[in-house]
Amino acid sequence: GEDVEQSLFLSVREGDSSVINCTYTDSSSTYLYWYKQEPGAGLQLLTYIFSNMDMKQDQRLTVLLNKKDKHLSLRIADTQTGDSAIYFCALRRVSGGYNKLIFGAGTRLAVHP
Amino acid sequence: DTGVSQDPRHKITKRGQNVTFRCDPISEHNRLYWYRQTLGQGPEFLTYFQNEAQLEKSRLLSDRFSAERPKGSFSTLEIQRTEQGDSAMYLCASGSEGIDEAFFGQGTRLTVV
């Protein structure tokens, strides 16, 4: 969606780090998420960060949030072939007392030997 | 409970036919969401239920679409007089107050020929 933008494609060598970037316009979002989607499958939540945090690390995943620039990134250390998938950035937008997710178009990560 | 379940996984239908999809959320989740994902795009919000009440419908949900959650548990999404533009992956997610994330099902892929 136009509220959330991601680059469409990223290619990395196996063992290298991958950095997937996301920019957004809505500064009121309280939670920002990264989802993974493998071919023909649903969405798997990888990690999320609360808007009052700058960084969150979870094993091979590191999320960085720059609220001033409205920029979110996901770093995958030691990228493996099994990491090949589409990665979606999503914001939680609160509306009418509940919340819904606004997704970017996704970044396709290709990992090659 | 193994997660959000959607049925069928795949549906091929002729233009003009009606189709119905089912979503079984995680037990005791009172929030249920439907999203639509077209090729190359991120999921887009369609509608939201809290218990049996449908609290919001997106502009994407035309008059041909209807969703129900009669007993506050499973939900159905019906598309009448299908069009080729309805071809997409229909994703269901569930959540609950106090839970920061939404859990997605595997989706129903609809192809209208």
XYZ file of all heavy atoms in Angstrom, chain A residues 38-74:
297
model
N 6.229 -17.787 2.498
C 6.839 -18.713 1.547
C 5.822 -19.016 0.446
O 4.617 -18.798 0.630
C 7.303 -19.955 2.284
C 8.399 -19.610 3.288
C 8.965 -20.803 4.011
O 9.718 -21.566 3.381
O 8.635 -20.971 5.195
N 6.298 -19.524 -0.696
C 5.400 -19.727 -1.841
C 4.146 -20.519 -1.505
O 4.223 -21.594 -0.921
C 6.291 -20.484 -2.842
C 7.676 -20.070 -2.495
C 7.696 -19.892 -1.005
N 2.999 -19.965 -1.828
C 1.727 -20.648 -1.626
C 1.273 -20.755 -0.192
O 0.283 -21.434 0.090
N 1.948 -20.075 0.703
C 1.641 -20.216 2.119
C 1.084 -18.922 2.691
O 1.116 -17.869 2.050
C 2.893 -20.636 2.885
N 0.590 -19.001 3.915
C 0.120 -17.818 4.617
C 1.277 -17.026 5.192
O 2.431 -17.205 4.817
N 0.954 -16.154 6.102
C 1.958 -15.266 6.681
C 2.441 -15.791 8.024
O 1.641 -16.174 8.868
C 1.364 -13.875 6.887
C 0.895 -13.152 5.630
C 0.195 -11.876 5.990
C 2.071 -12.871 4.718
N 3.743 -15.751 8.196
C 4.348 -16.161 9.452
C 4.959 -14.937 10.112
O 5.807 -14.263 9.518
C 5.436 -17.206 9.178
C 6.236 -17.609 10.392
C 7.501 -18.366 10.008
O 7.719 -18.694 8.843
N 8.343 -18.632 10.972
N 4.525 -14.648 11.333
C 5.109 -13.515 12.045
C 6.543 -13.847 12.439
O 6.800 -14.864 13.090
C 4.303 -13.191 13.295
C 4.852 -12.052 14.140
C 4.765 -10.734 13.384
C 4.112 -11.953 15.463
N 7.466 -12.980 12.041
C 8.876 -13.174 12.404
C 9.212 -12.449 13.696
O 9.816 -13.005 14.604
C 9.786 -12.639 11.301
C 9.845 -13.436 10.018
C 10.749 -12.719 9.015
C 10.340 -14.848 10.266
N 8.871 -11.184 13.734
C 9.200 -10.363 14.882
C 8.418 -9.067 14.798
O 7.837 -8.746 13.759
C 10.717 -10.087 14.941
O 11.045 -9.399 16.156
C 11.187 -9.251 13.752
N 8.395 -8.340 15.888
C 7.760 -7.026 15.856
C 8.459 -6.127 16.861
O 9.188 -6.591 17.744
C 6.263 -7.108 16.151
C 5.904 -7.628 17.519
C 5.704 -6.759 18.590
C 5.724 -8.992 17.734
C 5.354 -7.235 19.841
C 5.371 -9.481 18.983
C 5.177 -8.595 20.028
O 4.822 -9.076 21.269
N 8.231 -4.826 16.705
C 8.865 -3.856 17.575
C 7.831 -2.835 17.988
O 6.976 -2.432 17.184
C 10.087 -3.213 16.874
C 10.892 -2.353 17.843
C 9.660 -2.392 15.656
C 12.254 -1.943 17.274
N 7.880 -2.448 19.220
C 6.995 -1.413 19.726
C 7.585 -0.060 19.355
O 8.806 0.105 19.310
C 6.839 -1.562 21.236
C 5.771 -0.705 21.836
C 4.471 -0.747 21.352
C 6.051 0.144 22.886
C 3.477 0.047 21.902
C 5.064 0.945 23.444
C 3.776 0.900 22.956
N 6.738 0.922 19.137
C 7.193 2.191 18.580
C 8.094 2.996 19.515
O 8.740 3.949 19.062
C 5.995 3.044 18.161
O 5.167 3.285 19.274
N 8.168 2.631 20.778
C 9.057 3.373 21.672
C 10.441 2.713 21.787
O 11.250 3.111 22.614
C 8.436 3.540 23.062
C 8.325 2.235 23.800
O 8.612 1.172 23.255
N 7.903 2.298 25.050
N 10.673 1.717 20.940
C 11.968 1.038 20.907
C 12.734 1.444 19.658
O 12.138 1.821 18.645
C 11.767 -0.479 20.897
C 11.056 -1.012 22.121
S 10.551 -2.735 21.928
C 12.136 -3.550 21.828
N 14.059 1.369 19.731
C 14.904 1.653 18.572
C 15.419 0.376 17.923
O 15.714 0.366 16.728
C 16.110 2.496 18.984
C 15.694 3.835 19.528
O 14.724 4.413 18.998
O 16.353 4.325 20.468
N 15.551 -0.665 18.726
C 16.138 -1.890 18.218
C 15.580 -3.085 18.975
O 15.273 -2.997 20.163
C 17.659 -1.869 18.360
C 18.366 -3.061 17.736
S 20.157 -3.070 17.998
C 20.221 -3.771 19.633
N 15.484 -4.186 18.245
C 15.104 -5.439 18.879
C 15.877 -6.552 18.201
O 15.944 -6.605 16.972
C 13.601 -5.690 18.745
C 13.140 -6.988 19.392
C 11.644 -7.156 19.254
C 11.180 -8.466 19.886
N 9.707 -8.653 19.729
N 16.464 -7.429 19.004
C 17.228 -8.536 18.437
C 16.618 -9.855 18.877
O 16.250 -10.023 20.046
C 18.691 -8.460 18.883
C 19.578 -9.472 18.190
C 21.022 -9.024 18.123
O 21.381 -7.959 18.615
N 21.848 -9.829 17.502
N 16.511 -10.757 17.937
C 15.925 -12.059 18.218
C 16.674 -13.084 17.392
O 16.412 -13.269 16.215
C 14.431 -12.052 17.865
C 13.744 -13.372 18.218
O 14.412 -14.278 18.752
O 12.528 -13.478 17.956
N 17.665 -13.721 18.005
C 18.512 -14.712 17.333
C 19.150 -14.084 16.094
O 19.909 -13.121 16.218
C 17.706 -15.970 17.033
C 17.155 -16.628 18.296
C 16.403 -17.906 18.018
O 15.829 -18.114 16.950
N 16.414 -18.800 18.992
N 18.861 -14.570 14.900
C 19.523 -14.026 13.702
C 18.866 -12.749 13.195
O 19.364 -12.132 12.248
C 19.512 -15.066 12.580
C 20.380 -16.296 12.844
C 20.531 -17.163 11.589
N 19.266 -17.701 11.112
C 18.787 -17.492 9.883
N 19.446 -16.738 9.017
N 17.633 -18.032 9.531
N 17.767 -12.352 13.806
C 17.020 -11.193 13.322
C 17.287 -9.962 14.180
O 17.270 -10.042 15.409
C 15.514 -11.499 13.352
C 15.047 -12.742 12.627
C 13.541 -12.912 12.795
C 15.416 -12.687 11.156
N 17.513 -8.833 13.501
C 17.653 -7.552 14.185
C 16.734 -6.550 13.504
O 16.798 -6.376 12.280
C 19.095 -7.023 14.129
O 19.977 -7.991 14.709
C 19.220 -5.708 14.900
N 15.878 -5.921 14.284
C 14.981 -4.893 13.769
C 15.477 -3.543 14.262
O 15.765 -3.371 15.445
C 13.536 -5.127 14.249
C 12.627 -4.037 13.717
C 13.037 -6.496 13.815
N 15.593 -2.606 13.327
C 15.962 -1.243 13.673
C 14.825 -0.311 13.290
O 14.254 -0.431 12.198
C 17.235 -0.822 12.929
C 18.507 -1.566 13.305
C 19.670 -1.070 12.442
C 18.842 -1.406 14.774
N 14.501 0.610 14.187
C 13.428 1.564 13.933
C 13.967 2.974 14.090
O 14.507 3.332 15.153
C 12.277 1.336 14.908
C 11.124 2.350 14.853
C 10.474 2.351 13.460
C 10.083 2.057 15.925
N 13.825 3.773 13.043
C 14.184 5.187 13.057
C 12.885 5.965 12.919
O 12.360 6.143 11.814
C 15.154 5.508 11.910
C 15.592 6.959 11.920
O 14.845 7.844 12.315
N 16.814 7.196 11.477
N 12.365 6.409 14.052
C 11.044 7.061 14.034
C 11.108 8.415 13.339
O 10.146 8.839 12.695
C 10.517 7.203 15.450
C 10.167 5.874 16.104
C 9.629 6.081 17.496
C 10.700 6.458 18.491
N 11.670 5.360 18.697
N 12.236 9.083 13.459
C 12.360 10.416 12.842
C 12.227 10.310 11.322
O 11.516 11.098 10.692
C 13.694 11.044 13.229
C 14.009 12.367 12.555
C 15.324 12.936 13.083
C 15.739 14.180 12.319
N 16.150 13.823 10.933
N 12.898 9.314 10.754
C 12.864 9.125 9.307
C 11.751 8.188 8.873
O 11.587 7.910 7.689
C 14.206 8.589 8.811
C 15.323 9.587 9.004
O 15.026 10.796 9.116
O 16.500 9.170 9.067
N 11.020 7.631 9.829
C 9.941 6.668 9.552
C 10.485 5.520 8.704
O 9.962 5.193 7.625
C 8.757 7.347 8.869
C 8.128 8.416 9.745
C 6.949 9.088 9.041
C 6.435 10.233 9.890
N 5.371 11.009 9.198
N 11.524 4.918 9.225
C 12.232 3.863 8.515
C 12.412 2.667 9.433
O 12.830 2.792 10.587
C 13.603 4.393 8.056
C 14.396 3.392 7.291
N 15.314 2.553 7.888
C 14.405 3.095 5.964
C 15.846 1.773 6.968
N 15.328 2.087 5.801
N 12.070 1.517 8.907
C 12.169 0.251 9.629
C 13.024 -0.694 8.799
O 12.900 -0.714 7.570
C 10.779 -0.341 9.814
C 10.643 -1.652 10.583
C 10.856 -1.430 12.067
C 9.263 -2.266 10.345
N 13.882 -1.440 9.459
C 14.681 -2.415 8.708
C 14.714 -3.744 9.449
O 14.560 -3.804 10.666
C 16.098 -1.906 8.459
O 16.819 -1.826 9.675
N 14.935 -4.777 8.657
C 15.088 -6.132 9.190
C 16.416 -6.664 8.696
O 16.638 -6.732 7.478
C 13.958 -7.036 8.720
C 14.091 -8.524 9.088
C 13.928 -8.724 10.591
C 13.071 -9.374 8.317
